[in-house]
Amino acid sequence: MTFRLLLAAALAVIPGPVMARSQAGDAPGGAEFKAYGCAACHGTTGAGGGWQGPRLAPAPLPYAAFLAQLREPASKMPRYSEKVLPEETVRLIYGYLQSIGPGKRAADIGMLNH
Amino acid sequence: MDPQKFSTTRRNFLTTASAGGLVLAHPARATVATAKAPEARGRSVAHAPHPALEIAPVPAPAPSARRPESAGAETAGGDRRFASDYMVDCLKALDLTTISEIPGSTFAALQESIIHAAGRAGSDISMLTVTHEEIGVAFAHGYAKASGKIAAALVHSTVGLQHASMAIYNAWCDRAPVVTLAGSLTNPVARDGFVDWLHSVSDGPGLTRDFTKFDETPRSLPHFASSLTRAYRMAATPPCGPVVLALDLDLQEEEIPAGTRLPPVAKPVIIPPQGEAAALLEAAKILAGAKAPVILVDRAARTPQGLALMVELAELLQAAVVDMGGRMNFPWRHPLNQTSRRGAALREADVVLALEVQDMAGQTAPARKARKLSISTYDYYLKANYQAFEELAQPELAIAGDAEASLPTLIAALRSAIPAAGRTAIADRGARLAAASAAALVASRDAAAVGWDRQPITTARMYAEVYDQIRDKDWALLNAGHFQSFWGPQLWNAKHYYQYIGDSGAYGLGYLPGAAVGAAYACKAEGRLPIVFGGDGDFMMTPGALWTAAFHQIPLLYIIHNNGGYHQEKMKVQLQANERDRGVTTASTGCVLPGLDYAVIARGMGVAGQRVTDPADLRGAIKRALDVVSRGEPALIDVVSQGR
Ligand SMILES: Cc1ncc(C[n+]2csc(CCOP(=O)(O)OP(=O)(O)O)c2C)c(N)n1
């Protein structure tokens, strides 16, 4: 198999069972949030984690600050130029983050209170 | 509540093994050297299937294939003695009786002697088969950290040592004592054909010399005795580290004529170097006058006493403790533990005391204006090629000494240095820190709740679900998240020195599976429940380690953090792609590991394996896995999880 074919085969299987995918019930923008790599550092629900991205949801930054961080990021976040991520997509992604509800409260999850 | 002893004590194991049909010559041999007899293995699978796993019975290997594992007592020899028998006596004298190996003809004579010795009544030699030399050394690395004892790894001359070298480098960076014994074919006349030439080298340990504390190729048996004793002493003296001996096959094979006198070998008592007393007094004065002291600690507590001393020091000063996590240095829920607010604690600091901190320049960077003191063995020993010594730190007082050994003197000096008038301020400081750590715990729990019910499963939920079921057992966490998260230290409550052993040292992937099995082997002797959360990428480097756990019946709960690839690196490629304005949508190429089913891989090696994608299924899966582990077997859960 040529390299090109191998690459095509590899890409074809990437969206396999364990890759980030939008789920049924995801608000618009969820797919973009994953496809543009945001989920890689911030998690598919914007929860943030570990050494990487901080929490984005619920209650994301105000839109202007959010956009500014994307275009000229503070700290080690990748820079998202207009070419890479047009503003209409940013709005979609922002909408997705806004749509994420607070979910369960830690106080209501028994096992988080040991 | 007292931790409930986990149920696979050595005694339980023996009962089970006997019931399974093994005839045991002596306990230690049954524990590992022989694993299960073929009939016993077949029967145990048939009579006690793993409940949840639908594992097809592992077919018993043909008896002949297994004979080398168990036939030690039958080896011929009579009263004849060989050099390799003496080598084994020396290993026993130094308690180097836990030995990992993957065979290689360059140490066949020594292997035969080990088998012979392990077969004798009263022997405590345990030889465990591994499937890769990197696993064998990682096994010894994990074992050393979990047991406080040293294991040996037997590796083939050139090709075996080359495989082992990455793991030796991990042990070097992690200051872990590991004795690697490599075969060698020093004498060209003794080489038997072209493969022997391929596997010969003039200076075998030269390969790893840059990252070992000591190596030698002994030329005679007296030389061997001194080399091994020196190797042991170098490995065990802080800063601990790996050593390599190359053992010539000709030498191993020599017959020892009756009446030959060889030097006796005795285990040395190792006294770690203490920091200079006057310097510790000076450090105590500076600390006693501090307004916001921070103790930054990386690999300081080696023993239960070490951990108790750390607590005593911190409480005396009511100082913030920031744990770099090289070892279990400080109780995770102690009110003075400020690890999860490391940046804030360091920014507030006016004095930082760094204890065995490897990257002192980097880690103390947020404490820009603070006076910096260090007690560390790292200054005693470094090598210049590999840059594991990190950026040069310039503490005001660099006390060369083992931190744990220096703590009693430092604490005594502090008791007199703290003025009576300052006690209230110190108590107030402690109260403020306690409030901050309580708030940090609430924040960690809030963060852990986010995305609780979503798929892929969050890393926080993985940790919380496991902890929910093991917290009253005598558990040991064999790593705390690797690159992914720090949920272990944030949500779990480790208070005993053995409950956490740190990470690889060199960030060399492939460490965890072998080290986890080695540490689990140490936990088995203590009846503890070992748990590991490992990356899928890390796992795929050395998955064969699981086989050793299955074959030698080493209980271990192995959770795979399955984020579908080399996530850490994927994020870095994304960063590059965006910087170049090319977009990240295909930047995963080369960083993903799709199509792998770790539960199936585990089962293929005789390990109970399950896959979980829905967070609601975690509880049942963990329960079933724990049932398997409590019967003395390893179990793996492949958790399809968030990237981070
Ligand atoms: C021996 C070795 N090769 C390559 C690397 C580079 N590396 C660092 S992190 C990483 C990905 C690790 O994958 P995984 O264990 O699955 O953890 P994840 O980042 O996905 O959480 C790689 C390849 C390394 N550290 N060690």
Side-chain angles (χ1 to χ4, degrees), chain B residues 349-367:
Chain B
D350 62 345
V351 177
V352 177
L353 171 67
L355 299 177
E356 305 287 356
V357 176
Q358 188 164 3
D359 174 23
M360 188 178 165
Q363 295 305 330
T364 58

Side-chain angles (χ1 to χ4, degrees), chain A residues 14-22 31 34-35 39-40 44, chain B residues 456 563 570 641-643:
Chain A
I14 284 173
V18 297
M19 299 303 296
R21 279 181 304 182
S22 65
K34 289 158 196 162
T44 53
Chain B
N563 57 17
K570 174 171 134 178
S641 345
Q642 293 280 337

Side-chain angles (χ1 to χ4, degrees), chain B residues 31 55 68 74 171 177 192 271 315 317 343 390 426 442 468 510 573 595:
Chain B
T31 310
I55 299 180
E74 284 77 52
D192 187 14
I271 309 293
E315 289 183 353
L317 265 176
E390 304 280 346
I426 288 180
V442 171
D468 192 43
V573 181

